[in-house]
Amino acid sequence: MTVNYKKDMVVYQIYPRSFMDSDGDGVGDIRGIISRLDHIASLGVNAIWLSPVYVSPNDDNGYDIADYKAIQPQFGTMEDFETLVREAKARSIGIIMDLVINHTSDEHEWFRRALAGEEKYQDYYIIREGKDGGLPNNWGNFFAECPWTKFGDTDKYYLHLFSKKQPDLNWRNPAVLEEVKDIMRFWLDKGVIGFRCDVINVIWKDTLDDGKKSLVLTGSEHYLSKDGCHNILNILRREVLDPYGAFTVGETVFVDLEKARDLTDPARKELDMVFSFEHMEVDQVIVKWFKTRLVPQKLMRVITKWQQGLDWNATYFENHDQPRFLSRFSDAKGHRKECAKMIAGLLLTLRGTPYIYEGQEIGMTNGDFENIGEIMDIESRNIYKLAKKLHFPRALRWKMIMRTSRDHARTPMQWDWSENAGFTTGRPWLKVNANHEYINVKRDTVDKNGVSAFFKQMIHLRKTCPALLEGSFESLFEGRQVYAFKREYEGKALVSVMNMTAKPAKLPQQVMGYTQMVACNYAEEAGDTLRPFEFRLLAKRSDINALGL
Ligand code: TEU
């Protein structure tokens, strides 16, 4: 398969636990994915990013890896995985693995041997004495835990930026680097096309000194995108990835434009692109757990800033850590399909490599959870506990979960209207949304005005039209409701214009010369008024042929 990973790729992310269960144990699996490959292929995507499928005790649903070279039995066998690679390839789809190398599981052999006293493996992790009878430092933790846990029955502590079952690796130890190279080659030899690198910009800790006190994450100035991290990425690129022609996208937390530029600068040979977070944070107050109304104009500004600030990057609006994007628009109720299609139009006409998250293609919404007992995510459960300790009223605690929980993205994929949405014949590991009765693949894919039909149309346009793939980006209008931007290639342009609210809006004057409708998320024409969440792709009439349309 010859895909120019940067320009030609459209990625579909699968969260394996929640995608399709083939054996009735209530948990999705690889055979399930294989059985649904035709649905994925029908969208026109050419890559799948698989969230972790490795052996794991599932403290963080697979992001705590106990064996990097074996498949979690619940998900299937190595043979199943090889079949998946083959079957995907037969449909011109490449597989991208999730590479989680900031930490392992505490049940990984390395950590067990460290606990058993083997010094070699103790040096794989970050283990320190306490200071003045306290912890080694004052750092915070991503999952609202204490980042230091007692190392076995010693007086020492090990560092974990995430759960206590996710001890951080010591990247100063060259043996760790060698182990990871070997793991990467193992999967590349199986035919995967690249990696999504989990929290990759935090792997290198410059010092373990106390950090500046911060409401967000005390200590992060000591480990965010440090030179040591750049150096490791460069080594992995040159020694492991390049010989295979493999691709990487880094998940880079708290990354700013300048750091993102360094991490993706082709001359530096580190990552191909990164997932930035700023557009995911426009509706938050200080931390993601406190959300306010999403103000479209703020979103437009951040999108424009990143489009202009980087030559090329990953674009996304959903993944397994974020609530469903359409559920963030408080006035989208009653306009679900239009809003889902507007997001599709936006995602697929921006410059960069688009990532679609499972269920996004049919307009799945946030979960309909009723109480904390239904929430499985470790991060949500921890934050709920912490808020309780801080005496937050129960209603506020629940509101935090209902706006932000990662489980909103993890509810089982809705295949049809039967019990459990066709996801499993058993008891699903996480509550299936009751709205599967009308939001599901079976219904959406036979609807010519369905959300998936629009995804297909937009993906097809990207493939046929160089302006959408390679064209420059220019913002034309950022209003209270309407966003418009231009993609231009060899003097010919396409314009995306969309209403990000439920109130009708005037077409801005800036798009007036573009009278030819190329695509629209409504069935009929409507003149100069943009209806609720209306998206239009426009061109000049005289350019239609030259644009490849
Ligand atoms: O996420 C990293 C991360 O920092 C956040 O996106 C995380 O979800 C959390 O909300 C921070 O507040 C990655 C993975 O995508 C996530 O699923 C894992 O739990 C995490 O790393 C640890 O491996």
Side-chain angles (χ1 to χ4, degrees):
M1 192 184 338
T2 43
V3 177
N4 173 345
Y5 294 125
K6 273 198 151 177
K7 297 234 156 71
D8 303 346
M9 201 162 66
V10 180
V11 187
Y12 186 90
Q13 181 192 352
I14 292 181
Y15 196 66
R17 278 186 90 70
S18 305
F19 193 63
M20 181 66 209
D21 175 21
S22 72
D23 60 5
D25 66 356
V27 173
D29 48 46
I30 295 174
R31 298 227 136 257
I33 298 173
I34 296 169
S35 74
R36 297 293 185 174
L37 278 177
D38 286 334
H39 165 70
I40 300 170
S42 76
L43 297 170
V45 306
N46 48 17
I48 290 174
W49 150 27
L50 269 190
S51 277
V53 288
Y54 317 95
V55 170
S56 161
N58 278 325
D59 189 49
D60 186 18
N61 291 349
Y63 283 88
D64 46 323
I65 299 172
D67 185 345
Y68 287 85
K69 292 186 184 172
I71 299 292
Q72 172 82 343
Q74 250 184 338
F75 289 156
T77 62
M78 192 56 85
E79 218 187 317
D80 293 338
F81 178 81
E82 286 160 358
T83 308
L84 172 63
V85 173
R86 226 178 22 248
E87 289 290 318
K89 194 167 179 193
R91 293 164 177 81
S92 302
I93 294 175
I95 301 289
I96 298 168
M97 292 301 264
D98 215 313
L99 188 69
V100 188
I101 53 175
N102 174 66
H103 42 264
T104 69
S105 163
D106 66 340
E107 297 183 30
H108 192 288
E109 192 195 344
W110 303 334
F111 197 76
R112 290 184 191 216
R113 292 176 75 167
L115 276 176
E118 286 188 48
E119 273 169 31
K120 171 178 172 196
Y121 290 105
Q122 289 177 355
D123 198 29
Y124 274 38
Y125 295 92
I126 301 174
I127 300 165
R128 291 290 183 281
E129 308 265 353
K131 235 174 34 191
D132 314 322
L135 300 168
N137 66 24
N138 70 347
W139 288 10
N141 167 288
F142 282 81
F143 286 169
E145 299 182 1
C146 169
W148 294 101
T149 294
K150 271 275 162 75
F151 181 65
D153 50 18
T154 69
D155 287 337
K156 296 183 177 163
Y157 299 84
Y158 65 91
L159 175 72
H160 53 94
L161 292 181
F162 294 87
S163 114
K164 63 176 183 301
K165 288 184 68 63
Q166 293 168 303
D168 280 42
L169 283 164
N170 172 21
W171 278 92
R172 288 172 182 274
N173 179 353
V176 167
L177 177 61
E178 291 311 309
E179 298 272 13
V180 169
K181 284 185 197 167
D182 179 53
I183 290 164
M184 291 169 75
R185 290 189 183 116
F186 177 85
W187 293 103
L188 289 165
D189 285 338
K190 293 209 177 286
V192 311
I193 62 167
F195 299 95
R196 175 266 186 189
C197 309
D198 191 67
V199 288
I200 197 67
N201 62 329
V202 312
I203 61 174
W204 184 269
K205 282 78 181 172
D206 247 3
T207 79
L208 293 174
D209 293 347
D210 278 352
K212 276 199 295 294
K213 282 243 169 6
S214 147
L215 277 176
V216 184
L217 262 179
T218 299
S220 58
E221 70 272 27
H222 295 316
Y223 57 74
L224 283 179
S225 313
K226 294 293 165 191
D227 285 347
C229 171
H230 287 294
N231 184 35
I232 285 162
L233 289 173
N234 177 265
I235 294 172
L236 294 176
R237 159 65 59 202
R238 284 185 292 108
E239 294 182 25
V240 184
L241 296 156
D242 273 352
Y244 288 86
F247 142 95
T248 51
V249 51
E251 188 211 24
T252 46
V253 286
F254 301 113
V255 76
D256 60 25
L257 204 43
E258 201 184 323
K259 298 254 170 64
R261 254 184 232 129
D262 285 348
L263 287 161
T264 60
D265 176 357
R268 294 176 59 122
K269 290 187 171 288
E270 296 180 19
L271 296 163
D272 288 303
M273 56 188 88
V274 299
F275 292 122
S276 64
F277 284 73
E278 204 177 336
H279 65 303
M280 289 286 130
E281 295 166 355
V282 292
D283 54 356
Q284 81 180 29
V285 183
I286 303 171
V287 292
K288 69 175 188 173
W289 297 101
F290 298 111
K291 288 219 159 54
T292 70
R293 204 173 64 80
L294 185 143
V295 177
Q297 211 167 24
K298 282 196 193 160
L299 178 65
M300 300 168 199
R301 288 195 181 126
V302 173
I303 293 174
T304 296
K305 170 178 159 189
W306 282 81
Q307 287 282 301
Q308 288 172 343
L310 280 175
D311 177 53
W312 190 271
N313 202 19
T315 50
Y316 75 99
F317 291 97
E318 292 189 13
N319 64 35
H320 64 293
D321 291 334
Q322 299 288 342
R324 294 286 182 179
F325 203 69
L326 70 90
S327 297
R328 292 186 175 206
F329 291 92
S330 50
D331 53 352
K333 281 191 198 73
H335 307 285
R336 178 188 64 84
K337 273 168 64 181
E338 290 72 26
C339 186
K341 288 195 260 182
M342 184 271 287
I343 297 165
L346 171 63
L347 174 70
L348 291 157
T349 59
L350 288 171
R351 185 175 158 90
T353 301
Y355 290 73
I356 301 162
Y357 179 67
E358 64 180 42
Q360 191 181 350
E361 79 277 26
I362 54 164
M364 276 177 63
T365 67
N366 277 351
D368 54 353
F369 304 109
E370 277 158 20
N371 57 63
I372 190 71
E374 290 177 344
I375 300 289
M376 299 295 152
D377 176 30
I378 178 171
E379 185 193 49
S380 299
R381 296 176 73 100
N382 281 353
I383 206 77
Y384 193 83
K385 257 187 264 163
L386 176 70
K388 194 168 176 181
K389 219 161 95 188
L390 296 172
H391 302 292
F392 286 23
R394 188 208 286 259
L396 174 61
R397 270 163 19 220
W398 186 238
K399 196 170 161 195
M400 289 162 61
I401 299 298
M402 285 310 273
R403 287 295 294 271
T404 303
S405 176
R406 306 193 297 181
D407 276 354
H408 288 302
R410 302 175 180 184
T411 61
M413 180 71 181
Q414 295 166 199
W415 295 103
D416 60 36
W417 47 78
S418 67
E419 208 196 339
N420 298 331
F423 162 71
T424 180
T425 53
R427 202 178 116 86
W429 73 276
L430 184 67
K431 188 182 177 188
V432 174
N433 196 319
N435 66 19
H436 73 275
E437 283 181 11
Y438 60 95
I439 304 174
N440 60 62
V441 172
K442 199 165 171 178
R443 188 174 139 144
D444 191 81
T445 47
V446 296
D447 176 359
K448 72 177 194 327
N449 296 317
V451 180
S452 53
F454 196 66
F455 266 94
K456 288 176 197 174
Q457 184 188 359
M458 295 309 301
I459 292 171
H460 178 74
L461 280 169
R462 262 184 79 85
K463 285 187 181 157
T464 36
C465 184
L468 283 183
L469 267 189
E470 318 208 16
S472 60
F473 171 93
E474 184 192 337
S475 171
L476 297 179
F477 187 76
E478 293 167 21
R480 288 163 72 98
Q481 296 176 269
V482 176
Y483 188 30
F485 55 82
K486 180 160 88 174
R487 300 290 314 282
E488 189 168 333
Y489 184 71
E490 294 182 344
K492 308 289 172 208
L494 279 167
V495 163
S496 284
V497 57
M498 69 214 77
N499 178 1
M500 291 190 168
T501 71
K503 289 203 194 84
K506 274 258 149 278
L507 259 190
Q509 192 250 324
Q510 285 79 349
V511 311
M512 284 311 177
Y514 299 86
T515 49
Q516 177 74 44
M517 183 88 82
V518 179
C520 177
N521 61 349
Y522 277 79
E524 309 93 39
E525 296 266 344
D528 284 354
T529 305
L530 287 169
R531 290 155 288 185
F533 299 100
E534 180 163 347
F535 170 90
R536 291 184 196 174
L537 186 63
L538 303 169
K540 288 191 176 142
R541 275 190 210 282
S542 51
D543 286 351
I544 288 298
N545 289 335
L547 279 164
L549 295 163

